Amino acid sequence: LEVSHVSRAFGGLRAVQDVSLSVPAGSLTALIGPNGAGKTTLFNLVAGTVQPNAGRVVFAGQDVTRFDASTRCRMGISRSFQIPHPFNGMTVFENILVGATFGRPNATAPHARAAEVLRLTGLAKRANDKAGALTLLERKRLEMARALATDPALLLLDEIAGGLTERECQALLDAVREVHATGVTIVWIEHVVHALLSVAQRLVVVDFGVKIADGPPAEVLASKGVRSVYMGAEEHV
């Protein structure tokens, strides 16, 4: 993924300002920032649900800036949403089958792909249960599973650990690790920073729509600019 100088404003609000970002294939990148920093808008620009006012998005060497979300999904870009919205009247398997049917074309039949994703995300035991009966952790898993069922090369995860207990968060992390081990490139937005640090190879920080830091997690968190964003304008020893 190559995001080059993208900007997006909503009226007088500049949600994303001249952001550039390169994501190597097979990497796991964490994206953090305060509420309202522009993280989800940046995801929307990559996924195609929002168009940039300026800049471009390149995926697998192709300029996809003006492609819609469904086209990008079939090319291999998929994403989850902060608040899970499964098809509550359908079973877990049927929810996942939707993603497998309408995602990126591949050699695996949709039913086989859905069964594989059930196992990968730890939902096999709930396959025939209605999605509306799931716990929060299971709904978070299903949100990731539906996105994963599209067979993405790039998976965008938007705050899937929010609201979970420590034990549930750890279980979700195990699932993310297994997904990443299959070769899927992951960019993950999360406010549960300690969860990100246990899996992320790289940390990107945005504030007021501007990228302010990018690099190894420990180095980024130790930077004065990032500490100022999270701890205030001045630091006292």
Side-chain angles (χ1 to χ4, degrees):
L1 174 70
E2 292 286 343
V3 176
S4 180
H5 301 287
V6 296
S7 296
R8 174 67 197 205
F10 299 95
L13 174 64
R14 296 180 180 179
V16 173
Q17 302 183 56
D18 195 30
V19 170
S20 294
L21 181 67
S22 177
V23 180
S27 62
L28 200 162
T29 300
L31 179 62
I32 68 171
N35 286 330
K39 304 182 297 297
T40 295
T41 300
L42 183 58
F43 262 23
N44 291 339
L45 292 169
V46 172
T49 53
V50 170
Q51 293 292 320
N53 298 128
R56 66 179 191 145
V57 178
V58 175
F59 175 68
Q62 184 170 359
D63 190 332
V64 299
T65 308
R66 299 304 166 192
F67 292 178
D68 63 18
S70 61
T71 301
R72 295 191 205 190
C73 179
R74 289 191 294 272
M75 292 179 66
I77 299 177
S78 191
R79 54 96 45 97
S80 70
F81 292 86
Q82 292 180 27
I83 301 174
H85 287 292
F87 303 114
N88 286 324
M90 297 167 62
T91 67
V92 169
F93 180 80
E94 289 167 341
N95 268 267
I96 297 173
L97 185 60
V98 171
T101 301
F102 297 102
R104 183 167 62 151
N106 62 52
T108 305
H111 281 75
R113 175 64 182 170
E116 178 186 359
V117 171
L118 274 172
R119 180 202 62 78
L120 194 61
T121 54
L123 287 170
K125 292 182 179 180
R126 303 301 301 268
N128 296 316
D129 295 336
K130 292 292 179 66
L134 299 182
T135 66
L136 178 60
L137 172 59
E138 290 166 339
R139 289 168 70 87
K140 296 275 188 176
R141 284 179 182 270
L142 180 55
E143 181 72 8
M144 180 169 67
R146 286 198 307 179
L148 189 61
T150 67
D151 193 28
L154 173 63
L155 178 61
L156 309 173
L157 299 176
D158 196 349
E159 295 193 35
I160 59 170
L164 301 181
T165 66
E166 187 65 31
R167 184 174 180 178
E168 289 172 333
C169 186
Q170 188 57 54
L172 190 65
L173 280 170
D174 291 340
V176 171
R177 288 190 184 95
E178 190 167 356
V179 168
H180 184 238
T182 66
V184 177
T185 305
I186 297 176
V187 182
W188 186 0
I189 294 173
E190 193 57 70
H191 281 294
V192 185
V193 176
H194 73 273
L196 287 178
L197 296 182
S198 67
V199 294
Q201 302 161 332
R202 172 187 176 198
L203 189 60
V204 177
V205 185
V206 295
D207 187 34
F208 291 107
V210 177
K211 187 176 77 170
I212 62 170
D214 183 352
E219 181 180 310
V220 168
L221 289 177
S223 70
K224 289 184 178 180
V226 173
R227 290 174 65 87
S228 175
V229 166
Y230 280 97
M231 300 178 189
E234 296 183 20
E235 294 181 58
H236 301 281
V237 178

